[in-house]
Amino acid sequence: MKPPLYVHIPYCLQKCGYCDFFSASAPCVPPEYVRAVARQLEHLARAFCVGGWKSVYIGGGSPSLLGAEDLEFLCESIKAAALNKAAPLDENCEWTIEMNPETVSRPLLEKAASCGINRLSVGIQCKNDKVLRAIGRRASESDIEKAAELIKNFWPHEWSADLIAGLPFQTKKDIERDIDFVERNGAKHVSLYSLTLEDGTPLKGAIDAGKIPYDEEAAEELWLYGRDLLEGKGFAQYEVSNFARPGFESIHNGAYWAQESYLGAGAGAAGTIYGKPTGWRYTNVLDASEYIKFWLEEAKGFTDLNGGRANQEASQDQEARGQDCSQGLNAGDGNCSQDQEAYGQDCLQDQNCGDQQKGFTDQNVRAALAFPCQIEALDMATQEFEYIMTNLRTRRGASAAEYQARYGGDLAARLGCKESARVQNAGGGDCKKAKYASRQQKGFTGQNAGAAAWLTKTERSGDAFYSMTREGLLFLNRFLEEL
């Protein structure tokens, strides 16, 4: 198994006014937190037979608050956790770390590069001091310009810029200037998000109280303007909010949208293991102190790093079923059984199987997740719906062959298209929104059904891919929360 890995660093100097992600205010990342993450990484790699990592994404929070030594320790721990010590990273592993402009420095960039990180994601959001103050960002326009100069001079790899459209006081001129800025400074990938006002955030409270002006319709127009500018500059929209030069699309995020299983380490991080008849999603405890305490103090009673009790119980369960579990889920010598390797390659990587008799039963998955986290069981109906919605976010679209292999159905019929074999290649003219009425119990409201009717079909390598048209993506973006 070579899954994508997400590592969450929840610490930040100050929480932004629009942010509802789990985070904790701190001037730096405590070293004990990094050690706790390393502990969980080794457990996850053993529990799920991780030979190496397909991609790594270190997000937050502000991972750029990591000190040089702690960043190096974290990176070495990620590589050391993989069971294939000779090749802990996939040959084309994309390794990203998020950075905020005010914390970018030459030593940090050089350390990240020397540790094997090959991609930055920089949270610019907007390059206007008035806007930045309104949304509670610490970075200033000057910080952003300094960060870009440092990246240009001392970062040897690619970088991606995060921008937000529809912020208070933001204008079309701001959007144009921001996009020109990131293009001029070499960004090959841009995430352009539309501002979402989350309940309980300071920004929404200030807007609701009339302290900050906000026009939702004008905000939507700003996002559309930004999209058009990016496309005009050669950044193709390959997902609702993501734009890239050809060949610079995010591998890591693409794995999420393609419904590949992935693992998450760190307080608040999530992981998902898809399978038949049940998949599993876990979200680590949303408390950094509790997370540290468990993995550094209490985990001795759960698993030691030379042989986990929970994993041994899972192995005994498999042996009782007559399976080849000479190594069990806890591959203590760094080698998985052939049966588990097949499962890892055919299902957790390829996603087109999921038969739990191949190595991971409900019982031993639950045993492997016996640490402080919230666990959600994903039945096949949930997994099927998520497959459709995540794939329709992308330019690639949903694959009819993949859908049939995973869920045993006709994707065209599921999407409400007449006579699936004769859907037009580009027009989507045979897709009728009325067909979606019977599927409202799975998430399609009347409004959503209208959006989902804007489908296009593309034939590639004997397969049919269904995706949203450029106009349809607007509706998908608008109604994602309902879906």
Side-chain angles (χ1 to χ4, degrees):
M1 174 187 178
K2 288 188 177 181
L5 170 68
Y6 176 75
V7 177
H8 192 60
I9 307 295
Y11 301 95
C12 53
L13 293 172
Q14 131 183 338
K15 194 160 189 169
C16 301
Y18 55 84
C19 180
D20 71 336
F21 292 166
F22 166 63
S23 64
S25 296
C28 61
V29 180
E32 57 269 26
Y33 179 80
V34 182
R35 295 199 302 272
V37 170
R39 189 88 186 231
Q40 186 183 23
L41 282 169
E42 189 157 354
H43 167 69
L44 290 171
R46 291 177 182 277
F48 294 105
C49 204
V50 175
W53 306 109
K54 174 181 178 179
S55 62
V56 180
Y57 193 103
I58 304 174
S62 299
S64 45
L65 290 178
L66 284 162
E69 290 184 3
D70 288 329
L71 176 59
E72 183 175 10
F73 180 81
L74 175 61
C75 293
E76 290 304 312
S77 298
I78 289 169
K79 289 181 276 191
L83 302 183
N84 184 348
K85 304 305 180 184
L89 303 176
D90 189 72
E91 182 179 359
N92 298 311
C93 180
E94 175 192 88
W95 192 336
T96 304
I97 185 170
E98 291 181 353
M99 291 192 179
N100 282 327
E102 69 274 20
T103 55
V104 173
S105 67
R106 176 178 177 177
L108 182 64
L109 293 172
E110 292 176 340
K111 177 59 71 174
S114 70
C115 289
I117 295 172
N118 54 26
R119 185 174 182 269
L120 302 181
S121 177
V122 184
I124 292 174
Q125 319 312 359
C126 180
K127 206 168 143 292
N128 179 317
D129 282 338
K130 182 178 181 180
V131 175
L132 293 169
R133 286 194 299 270
I135 63 175
R137 293 284 290 177
R138 282 182 62 91
S140 65
E141 182 175 344
S142 175
D143 290 329
I144 293 169
E145 290 174 348
K146 289 176 183 177
E149 190 68 20
L150 286 167
I151 291 169
K152 183 188 299 183
N153 291 329
F154 302 109
W155 180 247
H157 305 297
E158 303 305 326
W159 73 285
S160 171
D162 279 7
L163 301 176
I164 300 178
L167 297 169
F169 306 114
Q170 192 178 41
T171 65
K172 286 187 175 181
K173 184 177 179 180
D174 290 321
I175 294 288
E176 184 174 349
R177 187 177 65 156
D178 293 344
I179 291 173
D180 285 343
F181 175 79
V182 298
E183 181 197 28
R184 188 171 65 252
N185 283 281
K188 301 293 194 302
H189 184 283
V190 178
S191 296
L192 179 65
Y193 300 106
S194 178
L195 176 65
T196 301
L197 294 174
E198 302 288 356
D199 290 336
T201 59
L203 180 59
K204 187 174 190 303
I207 289 173
D208 289 347
K211 297 178 180 179
I212 295 178
Y214 183 73
D215 184 323
E216 184 175 356
E217 186 174 336
E220 291 178 358
E221 288 297 322
L222 283 177
W223 186 88
L224 290 172
Y225 183 67
R227 178 200 65 178
D228 293 346
L229 285 176
L230 284 166
E231 290 185 328
K233 291 179 176 292
F235 290 85
Q237 184 183 23
Y238 72 100
E239 190 268 346
V240 171
S241 301
N242 286 274
F243 303 76
R245 303 281 195 203
F248 292 94
E249 298 83 357
S250 170
I251 294 172
H252 185 84
N253 288 339
Y256 294 154
W257 303 322
Q259 204 181 53
E260 295 181 23
S261 293
Y262 60 93
L263 297 177
T272 303
I273 299 93
Y274 293 102
K276 299 177 183 177
T278 307
W280 299 94
R281 178 169 295 138
Y282 68 92
T283 303
N284 286 329
V285 61
L286 300 175
D287 184 310
S289 297
E290 184 178 343
Y291 178 86
I292 292 169
K293 183 178 181 182
F294 176 81
W295 286 106
L296 294 189
E297 299 177 18
E298 300 173 6
K300 285 286 186 181
F302 163 62
T303 175
D304 63 43
L305 298 185
N306 294 314
R309 185 175 66 193
N311 297 328
Q312 290 168 354
E313 291 173 353
S315 300
Q316 292 168 3
D317 176 70
Q318 286 183 308
E319 288 174 337
R321 294 170 182 267
Q323 298 175 9
D324 177 11
C325 291
S326 59
Q327 302 301 328
L329 281 182
N330 181 29
D333 63 355
N335 295 306
C336 301
S337 70
Q338 292 180 352
D339 203 24
Q340 287 177 313
E341 279 289 359
Y343 184 80
Q345 292 299 319
D346 294 342
C347 180
L348 291 176
Q349 189 67 24
D350 188 0
Q351 301 305 302
N352 286 335
C353 62
D355 298 332
Q356 295 201 347
Q357 69 270 19
K358 286 189 177 181
F360 297 126
T361 65
D362 290 353
Q363 182 176 347
N364 57 43
V365 168
R366 280 191 171 275
L369 299 179
F371 47 78
C373 66
Q374 179 180 347
I375 300 175
E376 177 186 2
L378 307 175
D379 60 22
M380 291 305 293
T382 300
Q383 294 182 65
E384 184 262 2
F385 179 70
E386 288 187 1
Y387 174 85
I388 291 174
M389 294 317 303
T390 55
N391 278 275
L392 287 184
R393 292 179 63 95
T394 68
R395 181 176 59 188
R396 169 190 179 271
S399 157
E402 196 173 67
Y403 179 85
Q404 199 283 327
R406 295 187 193 187
Y407 303 108
D410 184 326
L411 179 60
R414 174 68 172 90
L415 294 175
C417 297
K418 294 191 301 182
E419 298 181 342
S420 60
R422 294 199 293 274
V423 176
Q424 299 298 315
N425 276 355
D430 288 336
C431 297
K432 301 297 186 182
K433 58 186 177 184
K435 295 282 188 178
Y436 285 84
S438 65
R439 283 187 274 284
Q440 290 189 3
Q441 71 275 17
K442 291 201 174 186
F444 288 104
T445 67
Q447 287 179 313
N448 305 337
W454 279 286
L455 288 168
T456 182
K457 175 186 174 185
T458 304
E459 301 277 358
R460 293 196 298 271
S461 303
D463 194 2
F465 291 83
Y466 294 86
S467 58
M468 303 296 288
T469 64
R470 192 168 183 266
E471 293 76 18
L473 278 175
L474 300 178
F475 286 89
L476 184 62
N477 198 29
R478 181 178 297 173
F479 297 119
L480 270 178
E481 291 185 3
E482 291 185 36
L483 299 176

